[in-house]
Amino acid sequence: MADSRNSESGDCGYPAAETGRPTNASALPCSDCDAHPEAEDAEQALDADAFAASLKDVKIATIGNVDAGKSTLVGVLTRATLDDGRGKARALVFHSGAKGHEAQNGRTSCVATEIMGWRRNGDQIVSERTSAAAKNAAWQEIATTSEKIVTFIDLCGHEGYLKTTIFGLIGLCPDYAMIVVNANAGFQRMTREHLGIALALKIPIMFVITKIDIAPENVYKENLEFLSKLLKSKAVARSPCVVKAEEDVETATCPGAMDKLCPIFCVSNVTGEGLPLLRSFMRRLPSRLYDSGLFKAPSEPAEFHIDHVFTVPGVGIVVSGVLKSGSVRPNQQLMLGPDKTGAFNPCRVKTIHMHRVPVDYVETGQSAAFAITSLVKKEQLKKGSFRKGMVLVDPAAQPKATWTFRVEVVILHHATTIRPGYEPVVHCGIIRQSAKVKSMSEELLRTGDKAIVTFCFKCHAEYLSPGSVLLFREGRTKGIGRIVELVSDD
């Protein structure tokens, strides 16, 4: 599974030695209306926008070049504090703390999540998070008392961790991408790469220019002008909107506004300049549950994509991820797989946590953590039983693993040509595996070409769905596509 700095008590929502009894049912939408026809009618009348608003949670992926100040910005926003210019704020985000390897070299090497919440009156909820226990208590306070929650997915900026960043963007289903740019260094190569991936995945983007307090005035203006020209180019096709007042925030958060414009915030994590406007913008951002097209209806069979696995003392195996379809309750039976042989095995969901708070119901579009146990006799689930790409699926869906699949692809960048036999790394949701091109509708492909390409996985069969978005790369990103057909292996 994906490497995570949340490997102890972590963001799975199960503090160490906590039994995690399901509670707080009223905090989530409930579809158990069989005994109340009038409630069922009311639920059917609930439109998509109202349901999306009830979820409260908006997920923002933080991307950009190394040393842009991504983790520092997340630390400053979520803790409502300022940085000292020497790594104080980012150390609050790193799981390894102030003395770990990430803090020492200043490079984020794995995925981390942090949340910030606001009360109904607009005040941000600020809680102490200096230890694992304090962090659990802070998350629980924010999750149970907030009128609006924003979840930050802090991703890697270094080129060596590009696979982890792609996993965060395509597997964790963020609503928005916040691209952080160093005012001194400007728009660098990995920032361009991250921007290209976000645009290819159709994730709405915003830019935050950091370190404006130390950037020379002429350098800062040149970089801001370059960014504005880049946004106006045909490749990006966005109108730059430098946010300088609350009126600009209102304009940028209007429904559908970010499909046409790109907000630009200029901030300093040390002096605090520009941060109030950025916080106001975060609080007003709407959920994109239905606009993203990534999630199926709550009435569909459950499909839970696992992104991390934990072993929690007193609880056992806990899996965290995103529910892409349907709904799940405690004691529900699901199929876990595909394993290394491509098989799916029955298991039972014991308890459910969301934002480290025990709940007794989760619905499509929500991130959660399940404590699970195997229903196969004499088989005990262990961390080694899991691999990247595994899912929990309702038995009614009759899940099957697939080796061969056809994709409608567009080549974003390639120095030479692509022919049958080409073997890139394929990213599709939580799946990351090498695949071989078996055949193509064209003889060869170059940059900008489109074709139907048949891929075959090299190591294991995977659970795929027609319509899923797929990236493939060899070092840098080479192409994007959408799965159009699963080929039977019979």
Side-chain angles (χ1 to χ4, degrees):
M1 301 304 297
D3 184 19
S4 171
R5 70 186 68 168
N6 306 314
S7 56
E8 295 175 5
S9 61
D11 294 333
C12 62
Y14 286 81
E18 181 180 314
T19 57
R21 294 176 301 165
T23 59
N24 195 26
S26 61
L28 293 167
C30 177
S31 61
D32 189 9
C33 303
D34 295 338
H36 304 282
E38 67 279 3
E40 184 176 4
D41 293 339
E43 179 175 323
Q44 291 175 351
L46 186 67
D47 62 20
D49 292 337
F51 176 66
S54 73
L55 294 180
K56 301 189 299 180
D57 194 359
V58 173
K59 289 184 282 189
I60 300 176
T62 309
I63 54 179
N65 199 71
V66 66
D67 298 331
K70 299 182 296 298
S71 297
T72 298
L73 181 61
V74 170
V76 166
L77 289 173
T78 56
R79 268 60 171 194
T81 185
L82 293 177
D83 188 41
D84 61 355
R86 299 178 180 273
K88 173 187 173 183
R90 75 182 181 199
L92 300 174
V93 177
F94 291 152
H95 182 263
S96 53
K99 297 182 180 179
H101 71 279
E102 289 181 321
Q104 290 177 3
N105 61 27
R107 292 176 180 173
T108 298
S109 59
C110 44
V111 180
T113 54
E114 290 288 343
I115 63 173
M116 63 189 299
W118 291 267
R119 295 185 176 89
R120 190 172 295 275
N121 63 4
D123 292 340
Q124 183 179 345
I125 300 172
V126 182
S127 301
E128 188 66 33
R129 313 185 203 185
T130 54
S131 65
K135 187 173 183 178
N136 287 328
W139 278 55
Q140 290 167 6
E141 179 187 0
I142 293 172
T144 55
T145 61
S146 294
E147 188 264 340
K148 171 69 175 291
I149 295 176
V150 169
T151 300
F152 290 100
I153 305 171
D154 188 23
L155 300 176
C156 316
H158 194 274
E159 184 174 5
Y161 304 119
L162 179 60
K163 63 179 183 180
T164 304
T165 300
I166 294 177
F167 170 79
L169 288 173
I170 198 171
L172 303 185
C173 305
D175 293 296
Y176 303 92
M178 181 169 68
I179 305 175
V180 183
V181 177
N182 184 338
N184 246 334
F187 203 82
Q188 297 173 285
R189 188 168 67 88
M190 284 310 298
T191 311
R192 189 183 297 273
E193 181 78 7
H194 292 175
L195 172 62
I197 296 170
L199 291 174
L201 295 174
K202 298 183 180 180
I203 303 173
I205 58 172
M206 67 193 84
F207 277 90
V208 178
I209 301 178
T210 60
K211 306 184 183 182
I212 62 174
D213 55 311
I214 61 173
E217 187 69 19
N218 63 318
V219 174
Y220 165 54
K221 288 184 176 180
E222 286 176 7
N223 289 329
L224 185 58
E225 289 175 3
F226 176 83
L227 180 57
S228 297
K229 290 180 180 179
L230 179 70
L231 290 173
K232 294 176 183 177
S233 66
K234 291 184 179 180
V236 183
R238 300 285 195 282
S239 298
C241 175
V242 179
V243 179
K244 297 180 179 179
E246 282 291 337
E247 291 77 12
D248 298 325
V249 172
E250 293 178 5
T251 301
T253 53
C254 289
M258 291 187 64
D259 294 334
K260 300 178 181 179
L261 61 82
C262 176
I264 302 174
F265 296 86
C266 303
V267 306
S268 168
N269 294 319
V270 175
T271 66
E273 182 180 350
L275 291 176
L277 287 174
L278 182 56
R279 287 194 177 94
S280 176
F281 175 78
M282 298 295 180
R283 186 170 67 87
R284 296 174 186 230
L285 274 178
S287 169
R288 294 183 61 251
L289 176 68
Y290 286 94
D291 294 342
S292 66
L294 299 174
F295 304 102
K296 298 179 183 178
S299 58
E300 296 289 327
E303 182 180 316
F304 183 77
H305 288 207
I306 300 171
D307 55 52
H308 294 103
V309 178
F310 309 86
T311 302
V312 180
V315 178
I317 286 292
V318 174
V319 296
S320 68
V322 180
L323 191 61
K324 300 293 289 288
S325 173
S327 60
V328 177
R329 298 177 182 273
N331 296 316
Q332 184 169 334
Q333 180 177 330
L334 299 172
M335 302 298 290
L336 173 65
D339 58 17
K340 294 179 180 178
T341 65
F344 287 79
N345 300 305
C347 68
R348 180 174 63 87
V349 177
K350 297 189 294 183
T351 56
I352 303 173
H353 275 56
M354 188 170 70
H355 291 317
R356 308 193 181 204
V357 176
V359 298
D360 59 6
Y361 183 82
V362 288
E363 210 163 56
T364 181
Q366 296 176 326
S367 297
F370 301 160
I372 61 174
T373 183
S374 174
L375 295 180
V376 179
K377 289 185 178 180
K378 298 182 180 180
E379 179 180 319
Q380 184 177 2
L381 289 177
K382 299 178 181 178
K383 204 169 179 181
S385 307
F386 294 82
R387 65 176 188 85
K388 187 176 291 295
M390 293 183 74
V391 296
L392 288 167
V393 186
D394 193 299
Q398 299 180 340
K400 294 182 179 180
T402 301
W403 281 97
T404 308
F405 53 101
R406 291 192 178 95
V407 185
E408 185 178 10
V409 304
V410 177
I411 308 303
L412 301 177
H413 170 78
H414 197 270
T416 56
T417 58
I418 294 176
R419 302 173 183 270
Y422 176 62
E423 297 184 7
V425 175
V426 168
H427 296 261
C428 183
I430 54 173
I431 297 167
R432 183 176 73 221
Q433 188 184 154
S434 295
K436 184 175 182 177
V437 174
K438 292 182 65 177
S439 61
M440 304 190 307
S441 60
E442 304 291 337
E443 183 178 351
L444 53 86
L445 296 175
R446 296 186 176 91
T447 300
D449 289 348
K450 298 180 180 180
I452 301 295
V453 178
T454 302
F455 287 95
C456 180
F457 285 120
K458 295 280 290 181
C459 302
H460 307 286
E462 303 283 7
Y463 179 76
L464 296 171
S465 300
S468 298
V469 176
L470 173 148
L471 284 175
F472 59 92
R473 69 183 184 91
E474 184 184 17
R476 294 173 60 193
T477 307
K478 303 300 182 184
I480 188 170
R482 190 175 294 273
I483 297 175
V484 295
E485 183 184 357
L486 307 181
V487 180
S488 174
D489 300 313
D490 297 337

